Amino acid sequence: MSRGSGKGLSLKDKLDGNELDLSLCDLNEVPVRELAALPKATVLDLSCNNLISLPSDFCSLMHLVKLDLSKNQLQQLPLDFGRLVNLQHLDLLNNRLVTLPVSFAQLKNLKWLDLKDNPLDPVLAKVAGDCLDEKQCKQAAVKVLQHMKAIQSEQDRQRQRKLQAEREMEKKREAEQRAKEAQERELRKREKAEEKERRRREYDAQKAAKQEMEKKTKKETVHTRKPASSSRPTQPPRHKPSWSRSVLRVLLFVLFCILCTLAACKLTELQHQPLCVSVNTLYEDVVAALQNHKTLQNMLQHNSQH
């Protein structure tokens, strides 16, 4: 194996049973692909190298049970480091770690942990404590796992609260949108009602104006036909005379005219006029006829008595 890249020499030469020792190889990167091809290598020693970080695909080495990364220059672990669920022993002595990824809480099988000589966050350093013997290292594993689980739970609660807040905000926005739409519908409805009322008033005004015009026209027509009718008091309608009464009046008028003509022809100087002569002659004939009629009636009456 060439130094630095970790490529060239086969890793099988370094494999002893299930242990693969890559310490003191001056490595600045981890040969993940070659390690993945050796699933029997459950114990991996990468101590005393120049590793600054671990690649993200390093977490695919889920067959690892014991991992030694001590005396490197690691500043952080991959975010999904918790995928190494079979890991039981982890040595991170003398690196540059400040915090651990939250996924660290998923290392449920971790039994041994050493975080000494790292510029850890004060809270994390206090939780981890010293790892001067087997007991302390086992306690460090338990306490750190509990601490990271608490952080994970808090982050989950924060995410849940954030999600709930986002949902509440979304509901609020939806409610505001519904209220806005309802307000717009109410506004349109009110405007429509106002428009309808305006058109109705215009229709009533036009109808009233039309009726007033018709009334005025009719009144002017009546005034034109009967100009004096407005100054006279209204009289009750008279009943038309019957036909017989009219005939009687005509006959009486004619009789009156005849009597007046007869008197004029008998008593005035007009009796010698041709018209009066004819009238007098006619009068005498009528009188004679009446007398004859009276004489005949008397004779008939006399005969009936006998």
Side-chain angles (χ1 to χ4, degrees), residues 173-215:
R173 284 196 295 266
E174 291 177 356
E176 291 177 352
Q177 183 65 23
R178 287 194 297 269
K180 183 178 179 181
E181 292 175 355
Q183 185 177 4
E184 291 177 353
R185 286 196 300 270
E186 185 64 24
L187 179 60
R188 289 194 298 268
K189 184 178 180 181
R190 185 165 59 249
E191 291 177 350
K192 186 176 180 180
E194 292 176 354
E195 177 65 18
K196 186 176 181 179
E197 182 63 23
R198 183 186 65 80
R199 286 162 51 192
R200 181 179 290 132
R201 288 197 299 267
E202 291 180 355
Y203 173 78
D204 293 340
Q206 292 176 359
K207 186 176 180 180
K210 184 177 180 180
Q211 291 177 350
E212 185 66 22
M213 183 64 68
E214 291 177 353
K215 185 177 179 181

Side-chain angles (χ1 to χ4, degrees), residues 226-250:
K226 296 180 179 180
S229 61
S230 60
S231 61
R232 295 180 182 179
T234 305
Q235 296 180 356
R238 297 179 179 179
H239 296 288
K240 294 183 179 179
S242 62
W243 180 81
S244 59
R245 187 178 297 179
S246 300
V247 172
L248 181 59
R249 288 181 180 180
V250 172

Side-chain angles (χ1 to χ4, degrees), residues 88 100-102 104-115 120-152:
Q88 299 179 14
L100 297 176
V102 179
F104 199 91
Q106 300 174 12
L107 300 177
K108 57 184 180 179
N109 293 315
L110 190 64
K111 302 293 190 300
W112 195 97
L113 177 63
D114 189 357
L115 288 172
L120 296 175
D121 177 79
V123 177
L124 180 59
K126 183 177 181 181
V127 171
D130 294 329
C131 182
L132 302 177
D133 54 28
E134 188 74 12
K135 182 178 179 180
Q136 290 182 347
C137 293
K138 288 182 178 181
Q139 290 178 350
V142 174
K143 292 180 179 179
V144 170
L145 282 179
Q146 292 176 348
H147 176 68
M148 298 309 298
K149 286 180 180 180
I151 293 177
Q152 186 180 46

Side-chain angles (χ1 to χ4, degrees), residues 208-224:
K210 184 177 180 180
Q211 291 177 350
E212 185 66 22
M213 183 64 68
E214 291 177 353
K215 185 177 179 181
K216 185 176 180 181
T217 304
K218 185 176 180 180
K219 188 175 181 180
E220 290 177 353
T221 304
V222 172
H223 278 287
T224 303

